Amino acid sequence: MATTLAKQKGALRKAMRVTLANLTSDEIQAQSRQITRTLLALPEFQEGKRISCFLNMPAGEVDTSAVVSAIFDAGKTLYVPKMVDKEQGIMDFFQLFGEEDLRTLPSGPWGIREPDKEFKGRQRPSALDGSTEPLDLIVMPGMAFDRSRSRLGYGKGFYDRFLSRYYMARQQARGPRLVALALREQILEAGQVPVGETDWKVDIIIGPDGIVS
């Protein structure tokens, strides 16, 4: 069963990579602007004080730069993902401290900017650290989604593992809202994304044509 599921996921990732590679930068930017407007108008975004948002890959993914700027401008606290153990698929979210901090981030795997664990000689606050306030919203990427809110990641299980660890560490009855940003081509009909027992669904998918919830 697991082998069949892995094959199904692999086939969909392969097809989606081809689809996304055919999108021009202008197309992605136009869709990203529409997606950003919808996200910023979302009550969960407006009311949230502590938000995690992914920093996008150089190509084939929603551009989140305007989202990140809006989080800073609104005086909210921003956390961004950092790969802690690539082989084991482990990541954590660390706090950023403004636009200058963002500009100096080094590029990590896949060209994604990631923070160091320290900032100006001090340990950055981590979302998994129980002494920090809990996240209100997690804005996340994916390879593909469907209208039942299933998510296909990039194959390493980073977000699924993080969410499981986060809930265990926090012992919260209600966790952060999970909001996925997706290009039009990444949103499929219900049931088209293969999922297993450890795959997390998202609460909301935001595409250029509106919200799937």
Side-chain angles (χ1 to χ4, degrees):
M1 183 68 180
T3 304
T4 301
L5 179 62
K7 286 182 178 178
Q8 291 172 338
K9 288 183 174 183
L12 181 53
R13 286 190 186 99
K14 184 177 180 180
M16 193 57 64
R17 276 194 289 270
V18 173
T19 299
L20 295 175
N22 287 328
L23 293 177
T24 67
S25 177
D26 286 346
E27 288 173 315
I28 291 174
Q29 288 302 315
Q31 292 195 43
S32 295
R33 286 191 291 273
Q34 293 173 290
I35 291 165
T36 299
R37 281 194 291 269
T38 302
L39 174 62
L40 300 191
L42 201 69
E44 290 91 338
F45 181 89
Q46 295 183 350
E47 295 165 10
K49 296 178 181 178
R50 292 165 299 278
I51 298 175
S52 169
C53 182
F54 69 98
L55 303 179
N56 59 280
M57 294 188 293
E61 197 167 66
V62 175
D63 185 338
T64 59
S65 56
V67 175
V68 168
S69 292
I71 292 171
F72 286 140
D73 290 344
K76 301 176 187 291
T77 300
L78 172 66
Y79 285 78
V80 299
K82 176 179 176 60
M83 205 176 299
V84 177
D85 188 329
K86 183 178 179 181
E87 296 306 314
Q88 297 296 318
I90 303 296
M91 72 175 181
D92 196 355
F93 296 164
F94 292 92
Q95 186 178 345
L96 286 193
F97 293 94
E99 295 281 1
E100 182 182 351
D101 188 11
L102 175 67
R103 280 193 295 271
T104 61
L105 294 184
S107 287
W110 304 300
I112 302 171
R113 290 172 296 169
E114 292 188 343
D116 294 323
K117 290 184 180 181
E118 292 188 353
F119 177 70
K120 294 185 176 180
R122 299 180 63 182
Q123 189 79 9
R124 285 184 189 271
S126 153
L128 289 174
D129 182 352
S131 67
T132 60
E133 290 292 316
L135 295 172
D136 297 312
L137 190 70
I138 296 179
V139 181
M140 55 200 295
M143 179 69 80
F145 306 88
D146 70 22
R147 292 186 176 276
S148 66
R149 294 178 288 106
S150 295
R151 172 183 178 273
L152 179 72
Y154 291 93
K156 295 291 187 181
F158 285 106
Y159 274 88
D160 295 317
R161 288 190 187 89
F162 172 82
L163 291 170
S164 296
R165 293 174 68 217
Y166 183 86
Y167 272 78
M168 286 180 64
R170 291 287 178 173
Q171 297 292 305
Q172 288 177 263
R174 183 184 175 204
R177 294 283 279 173
L178 307 181
V179 178
L181 305 187
L183 299 168
R184 184 178 293 114
E185 292 75 10
Q186 293 177 292
I187 303 175
L188 309 176
E189 293 304 314
Q192 291 191 349
V193 169
V195 293
E197 291 180 359
T198 60
D199 294 320
W200 284 68
K201 283 181 179 278
V202 298
D203 296 308
I204 297 170
I205 302 166
I206 299 179
D209 305 311
I211 294 172
V212 178
S213 62

